[in-house]
């Protein structure tokens, strides 16, 4: 058996008896949404550290567990904390949790993150519906022997972010009176923030927001045929767009401030999926 596949299966086997239901939605909580589970009807939790060989995040504020619960009537598995490529894990480990949630039965992957705004019309605290993405320098997680159990060798990427889910989120934002921009998210590896010249490059390439996650997870989920959607919380203007240096604390503070509206948008969207 393929070693990468075998590892996901082993993780699944080690926790399957603790999974309370077949989740419909797999929700990845980005910075600021960490306490999202407080609003859920929680049925079970599994610490990442309790899953053998599971990659555990080393970033302060990203400590992790799977939380299983209902959002309205929808069974959801949440990832509180994700691992990033910059932590030094192989890319197959970075997408292992995504693959594991598909193995649990999740059909929809809802990705959230914090980002730096490149589009000059965005301010700190803006929300951006991810319409498409650009992968920049992070390795493709499908490199290596293809895992047929997950999907085909050359997956189509024409519509990674599901159009129907996008329209549900768009409609929900309107109904909740939450301003929602739409755009292209670029993933760089981090952990350093970008240089102003890199931000200029990304703007020329067509990116509206930049971060250090999400794209590799979307590529792995698309490979497995999941329906994918994503919302980015623009925590700061990207490097060079203001005179201020960027700090992780500033990103967390802005994400926390935007959290109540973000939570509402995520909850009402999931209820309508
Ligand atoms: N760059 C990369 N990742 C980020 C940023 C940024 O400016 N803000 C939040 N995550």
């Amino acid at each position: 058996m393929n070693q990468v596949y075998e590892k996901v299966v082993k993780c699944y086997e080690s926790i399957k008896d603790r999974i309370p239901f077949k989740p419909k939605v797999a929700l990845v909580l980005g910075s600021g949404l960490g306490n999202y589970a407080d609003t859920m009807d929680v049925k079970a939790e599994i610490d990442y550290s309790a899953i053998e060989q599971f990659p555990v995040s080393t970033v302060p504020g990203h400590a992790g567990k799977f939380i299983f619960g209902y959002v309205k009537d929808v069974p959801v598995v949440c990832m509180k904390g994700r691992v990033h490529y910059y932590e030094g894990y192989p890319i197959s480990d970075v997408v292992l949790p995504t693959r594991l949630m598909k193995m649990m039965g999740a059909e929809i992957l809802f990705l959230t993150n914090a980002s730096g705004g490149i589009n000059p019309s965005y301010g700190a605290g803006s929300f951006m519906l991810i319409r498409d993405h650009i992968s920049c320098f992070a390795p493709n997680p499908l490199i290596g022997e293809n895992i047929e159990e997950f999907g085909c060798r050359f997956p189509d990427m024409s519509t990674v972010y599901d159009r129907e889910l996008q329209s549900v989120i768009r409609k929900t934002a309107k109904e909740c009176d939450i301003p929602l921009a739409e755009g292209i998210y670029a993933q760089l590896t981090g952990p350093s923030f970008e240089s102003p010249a890199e931000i200029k490059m990304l703007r020329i390439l067509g990116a509206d927001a930049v971060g250090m996650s999400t794209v590799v997870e979307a590529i792995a989920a698309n490979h497995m045929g999941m329906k994918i959607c994503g919302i980015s919380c623009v925590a700061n203007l990207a490097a060079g767009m203001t005179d201020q240096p960027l700090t992780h604390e500033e990103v967390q503070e802005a994400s926390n401030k935007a959290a109540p509206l973000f939570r509402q948008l995520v909850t009402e969207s999931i209820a309508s999926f």
Side-chain angles (χ1 to χ4, degrees):
M1 203 192 288
N2 177 291
Q3 280 182 355
V4 172
Y5 183 67
E6 196 172 348
K7 189 166 174 180
V8 185
V9 171
K10 268 195 184 144
C11 286
Y12 177 69
E13 292 293 332
S14 75
I15 59 170
K16 70 172 195 274
D17 296 339
R18 297 172 60 191
I19 301 172
F21 49 57
K22 176 174 177 279
K24 177 176 177 187
V25 177
L27 172 63
V28 182
L29 304 173
S31 310
L33 272 187
N35 295 328
Y36 182 78
D38 296 349
T39 63
M40 287 168 67
D41 176 15
V42 174
K43 297 296 177 198
E45 298 189 353
I46 303 175
D47 284 336
Y48 297 157
S49 57
I51 310 171
E52 215 177 304
Q53 292 185 32
F54 194 89
V56 179
S57 176
T58 56
V59 186
H62 285 258
K65 56 184 165 183
F66 285 116
I67 303 173
F68 299 85
Y70 287 91
V71 173
K72 310 267 169 127
D73 291 332
V74 183
V76 175
V77 54
C78 275
M79 280 185 72
K80 179 174 171 153
R82 51 149 68 96
V83 289
H84 298 82
Y85 183 57
Y86 60 72
E87 291 176 76
Y89 289 99
I91 201 72
S92 57
D93 271 359
V94 176
V95 301
L96 182 148
T98 306
R99 288 171 163 163
L100 184 54
M101 293 191 291
K102 171 71 162 68
M103 217 169 261
M104 292 174 192
E107 303 149 27
I108 294 174
L109 178 66
F110 196 153
L111 294 160
T112 68
N113 61 44
S115 63
I118 295 176
N119 187 317
S121 72
Y122 299 172
S126 297
F127 297 120
M128 185 190 87
L129 177 66
I130 302 176
R131 274 215 300 243
D132 202 352
H133 69 221
I134 297 172
S135 175
C136 247
F137 313 126
N140 190 304
L142 308 184
I143 288 174
E145 182 193 353
N146 185 50
I147 304 174
E148 294 292 328
E149 288 87 344
F150 289 140
C152 70
R153 173 75 291 185
F154 300 109
D156 175 52
M157 294 280 286
S158 320
T159 43
V160 173
Y161 298 88
D162 186 82
R163 293 222 173 97
E164 271 173 47
L165 296 179
Q166 285 188 53
S167 41
V168 171
I169 295 171
R170 206 175 280 130
K171 186 159 167 270
T172 304
K174 209 173 244 171
E175 283 165 5
C176 297
D177 217 8
I178 299 173
L180 181 65
E182 300 192 15
I184 309 300
Y185 175 90
Q187 175 178 2
L188 270 68
T189 66
S192 47
F193 288 114
E194 302 70 33
S195 68
E198 285 164 346
I199 293 302
K200 191 171 169 197
M201 168 192 80
L202 291 170
R203 188 177 300 119
I204 291 166
L205 292 181
D208 296 290
V210 60
M212 306 174 192
S213 67
T214 299
V215 171
V216 291
E217 290 138 300
I219 291 171
N222 177 70
H223 182 226
M224 298 183 293
M226 294 180 87
K227 286 187 175 177
I228 303 162
C229 61
I231 305 175
S232 186
C233 173
V234 176
N236 55 278
L237 297 183
M241 295 176 69
T242 68
D243 295 334
Q244 301 297 317
L246 300 181
T247 65
H248 180 58
E249 290 69 29
E250 173 199 356
V251 169
Q252 283 199 311
E253 203 180 301
S255 319
N256 289 340
K257 214 164 141 193
L261 278 188
F262 206 173
R263 234 179 268 150
Q264 187 190 1
L265 182 54
V266 168
T267 296
E268 298 306 326
S269 298
I270 290 176
S272 307
F273 282 171

